[in-house]
Amino acid sequence: MSSASDREQAEAHLRAAGLKVTVPRIAVLDAVTGHGHLDADAVHARVASDHPSVSLQSVYNVLGDLSAVGLLRRIAPAGSPALYESRIGDNHHHVVCTRCHAVEDIDCVIGEPPCLIPADTGGFAIHTAEVTFWGLCGDCRRAVADLERLAPADAG
Amino acid sequence: MSSASDREQAEAHLRAAGLKVTVPRIAVLDAVTGHGHLDADAVHARVASDHPSVSLQSVYNVLGDLSAVGLLRRIAPAGSPALYESRIGDNHHHVVCTRCHAVEDIDCVIGEPPCLIPADTGGFAIHTAEVTFWGLCGDCRRAVADLERLAPADAG
DNA sequence: CGGGTTGTTTTGAGTGATTCAAAACAACTG
DNA sequence: CAGTTGTTTTGAATCACTCAAAACAACCCG
């Protein structure tokens, strides 16, 4: 799913960030782009299918570097390993399923960050606000409903 | 700092949650209550000073149980081990220092959760919204300012 | 186009936080 | 007070990730 121009864009981004253009970096960018929220292992798996010689360590290095320069975004919901996504530059948030840890993007109802300015910053110089919603994804909702039909919580 | 009535309250809470009243549980509740945001090790250290026989594993068990029934709240900012706090029942949020990982409580400017209703829930049944602010705490702000005076980022 | 420098990647090992499992034990029930 | 059931302990194992040194490749320059 990667065209020549994708690759050229990736190269340009890397150079703009002062990073050398290397096989692992291009491969990681390509693996993450448009594939939702992937952990290091999943990225490695995708990368390895095209470039088996790229090590998991390199994937960790690259993911760290790319996140540091802003070419990827890293999220780390409680209970999940770090996840990486290519959707950057907007300030979207995430829903995480409390049951299966599936992650989806969420746009806040309020485009601008209004609730992202706290009443009292406690002496901190705040530069980022991160919102994580927790809930049940569609599949798990159905699964839970089925379970409760079989074993009701209370016999009212 | 724990009175007899504190202890009785703790016992009542445990019983109400259907949990047996045990030394480790009372000790953990006592250790966390009113002491900010503690990780499992810190809780264990506090517990151990009064009850040296309580193992770190038990502390993990107890913290997990108490969080599960809502007697403690667990937060897990990226890059930090899980932290536990006794302030429950209100929907406050947290600031985390990006440099030293210090954590403080934050009250949202908007008391009710308004931005906590996303535009499109992506099929999820959302039950919680968690806001984490990232920034520099006072100490780290000063430290960074000092560093930049010594080694300016650009020689403009 | 080829050599040198510097940044990257690989290899291999190590760590910290947390979880798992089984046996010893203690709290609550009657 | 004995039995049952839930907890805690002990000990080991796992997962995600980091560290360090050596091999290597990208880019700059002539």
Side-chain angles (χ1 to χ4, degrees), chain B residues 45-142:
Chain B
R46 290 190 74 84
V47 166
S49 72
D50 271 354
H51 305 278
S53 70
V54 173
S55 68
L56 177 60
Q57 258 56 34
S58 296
V59 170
Y60 272 104
N61 290 344
V62 170
L63 289 171
D65 292 346
L66 297 185
S67 304
V69 301
L71 288 179
L72 292 178
R73 183 168 159 195
R74 169 192 210 143
I75 62 172
S80 300
L83 301 174
Y84 299 84
E85 67 183 342
S86 58
R87 185 178 164 191
I88 52 173
D90 65 350
N91 195 29
H92 73 276
H93 304 307
H94 297 100
V95 226
V96 184
C97 179
T98 36
R99 192 159 170 276
C100 73
H101 286 154
V103 176
E104 294 287 344
D105 288 345
I106 284 273
D107 294 305
C108 216
V109 116
I110 305 162
E112 292 307 298
C115 59
L116 307 189
I117 296 141
D120 176 357
T121 62
F124 280 63
I126 293 177
H127 56 67
T128 311
E130 182 186 354
V131 182
T132 304
F133 297 97
W134 295 90
L136 281 178
C137 69
D139 287 352
C140 287
R141 230 158 64 184
R142 280 184 285 280

Side-chain angles (χ1 to χ4, degrees), chain A:
Chain A
M1 285 301 156
S2 58
S3 69
S5 78
D6 282 346
R7 200 205 135 92
E8 276 160 33
Q9 278 213 345
E11 292 195 10
H13 283 139
L14 287 173
R15 286 186 213 282
L19 295 174
K20 289 184 177 172
V21 174
T22 67
V23 167
R25 283 175 180 164
I26 298 290
V28 165
L29 271 176
D30 187 47
V32 176
T33 300
H35 291 101
H37 310 85
L38 276 61
D39 65 17
D41 248 23
V43 174
H44 182 234
R46 290 190 75 85
V47 167
S49 73
D50 271 354
H51 306 277
S53 70
V54 173
S55 67
L56 177 60
Q57 258 53 37
S58 295
V59 171
Y60 272 105
N61 290 345
V62 170
L63 288 172
D65 293 346
L66 297 185
S67 303
V69 302
L71 288 180
L72 292 179
R73 183 169 160 197
R74 169 194 210 139
I75 62 172
S80 300
L83 300 174
Y84 298 85
E85 66 183 343
S86 58
R87 185 177 165 191
I88 52 172
D90 65 350
N91 195 28
H92 73 277
H93 303 306
H94 297 99
V95 226
V96 184
C97 179
T98 37
R99 192 158 171 276
C100 72
H101 286 155
V103 176
E104 294 287 343
D105 288 343
I106 283 274
D107 295 305
C108 217
V109 119
I110 304 161
E112 291 309 297
C115 58
L116 305 189
I117 295 141
D120 176 356
T121 63
F124 281 63
I126 293 177
H127 55 69
T128 312
E130 183 187 351
V131 183
T132 305
F133 298 96
W134 296 90
L136 281 178
C137 70
D139 286 352
C140 287
R141 228 156 66 184
R142 280 184 284 282
V144 167
D146 286 355
L147 285 178
E148 296 202 336
R149 225 168 349 89
L150 296 172
D154 62 348

